[in-house]
Amino acid sequence: TSLLLMAGIVVAVGLCRRLTRRRLRSHPRLCTFLLEMFSTFQICACTNELCLLGSAEPKPHTGLTLTYGFTVLHGLTLPGSTCNPCGTLQPMWGGGTSVKMGGLKIGAQFVAAVLARVFMHFLWRLEMAEPHFGALSQGCSNPMQTTEMQAFCIELLFSVVFQLTVLRVESINPKYRVHLIALLITMLVYAGGNLTGAIFNPALAFSLHPSCFYDKFWSYTLVYWIAPSLGKFLIFYVS
């Protein structure tokens, strides 16, 4: 049921993106906002559901396999979207995107993060699948299973590795590039998923653990917003 749910989300987002491109070509800003919002919504909604399946047996093989598979699916179905505020910073810094357009995309990403969380909570209340039972009573699931400083360093390192890899594989055929990126994300999740969740995406982190930001705002902002953003700025000086 969970897999069918996520597949339905991917199909629905694909239809919305296609309709947006057809009907809003004469409104580029609105079109850009909606495309980025729909794309980020897909990633956040599917990842929220994947987190519930992470404990499925056999562990961790099931969770890692699903992570790889859906990362490939996202890469193939969401071309042209970054779905990550840190990724949006690169063209802004390089002058390829205006500050206004970059801010519009980042705003769309966080709007999508909130909408995805609300949408998934609505579906979990329906208890259509076994993993949904008790999902709403978890509150802050506390993805940080280490010290704040270690968590900061892990998210910073993962962000640097991920963003640097994305830059290095830009010239590779997109059909192969999505598999390389998916493999990297799966490896990072395997390496640090039990410590910080290996998120390195501020919008996704807010969608997955909003109550944690309410309870420990500065701590989670430092680890899940500032650390990956700082990693992106480090890449600017390295590349």
Side-chain angles (χ1 to χ4, degrees):
T1 303
S2 290
L3 294 177
L4 289 175
L5 172 61
M6 289 187 285
I9 291 173
V10 172
V11 172
V13 168
L15 293 175
C16 290
R17 281 168 53 88
R18 181 176 298 181
L19 184 63
T20 298
R21 286 197 181 96
R22 288 182 178 179
R23 298 297 178 87
L24 297 176
R25 290 180 180 177
S26 58
H27 301 82
R29 289 186 179 178
L30 179 58
C31 182
T32 298
F33 180 89
L34 290 177
L35 288 176
E36 193 66 30
M37 186 186 73
F38 287 137
S39 300
T40 308
F41 176 89
Q42 175 177 313
I43 289 180
C44 290
C46 289
T47 306
N48 268 281
E49 187 70 15
L50 281 175
C51 287
L52 297 183
L53 302 177
S55 58
E57 296 292 344
K59 295 190 295 186
H61 305 84
T62 300
L64 293 175
T65 300
L66 290 173
T67 298
Y68 175 82
F70 274 90
T71 302
V72 171
L73 184 61
H74 295 323
L76 294 175
T77 58
L78 303 175
S81 298
T82 57
C83 308
N84 187 338
C86 297
T88 306
L89 292 174
Q90 179 185 348
M92 289 175 61
W93 184 270
T97 300
S98 66
V99 175
K100 183 178 293 187
M101 186 62 72
L104 188 71
K105 288 185 176 182
I106 292 176
Q109 291 157 3
F110 276 98
V111 168
V114 174
L115 291 177
R117 186 65 175 182
V118 172
F119 177 72
M120 295 310 296
H121 272 213
F122 169 76
L123 293 180
W124 291 347
R125 286 191 182 94
L126 301 178
E127 297 184 341
M128 296 185 297
E130 184 177 349
H132 297 174
F133 300 147
L136 296 177
S137 62
Q138 293 179 359
C140 174
S141 55
N142 194 19
M144 258 199 299
Q145 299 298 317
T146 182
T147 65
E148 184 177 304
M149 183 54 64
Q150 288 179 334
F152 176 86
C153 293
I154 290 172
E155 288 293 309
L156 174 64
L157 175 62
F158 283 4
S159 177
V160 169
V161 171
F162 175 72
Q163 299 293 343
L164 189 59
T165 302
V166 170
L167 290 176
R168 293 293 181 249
V169 301
E170 281 184 345
S171 59
I172 298 178
N173 188 307
K175 293 182 179 180
Y176 303 114
R177 184 168 65 234
V178 293
H179 288 279
L180 291 175
I181 294 176
L183 180 60
L184 172 64
I185 290 176
T186 304
M187 292 172 61
L188 294 177
V189 170
Y190 177 73
N194 62 324
L195 298 175
T196 66
I199 302 173
F200 47 90
N201 181 333
L204 179 58
F206 188 66
S207 183
L208 294 177
H209 309 290
S211 57
C212 296
F213 283 92
Y214 303 151
D215 297 339
K216 302 177 181 178
F217 178 78
W218 293 113
S219 177
Y220 277 78
T221 298
L222 178 68
V223 173
Y224 295 106
W225 289 0
I226 297 178
S229 300
L230 180 59
K232 186 61 184 179
F233 282 110
L234 290 176
I235 293 298
F236 293 146
Y237 291 102
V238 172
S239 58

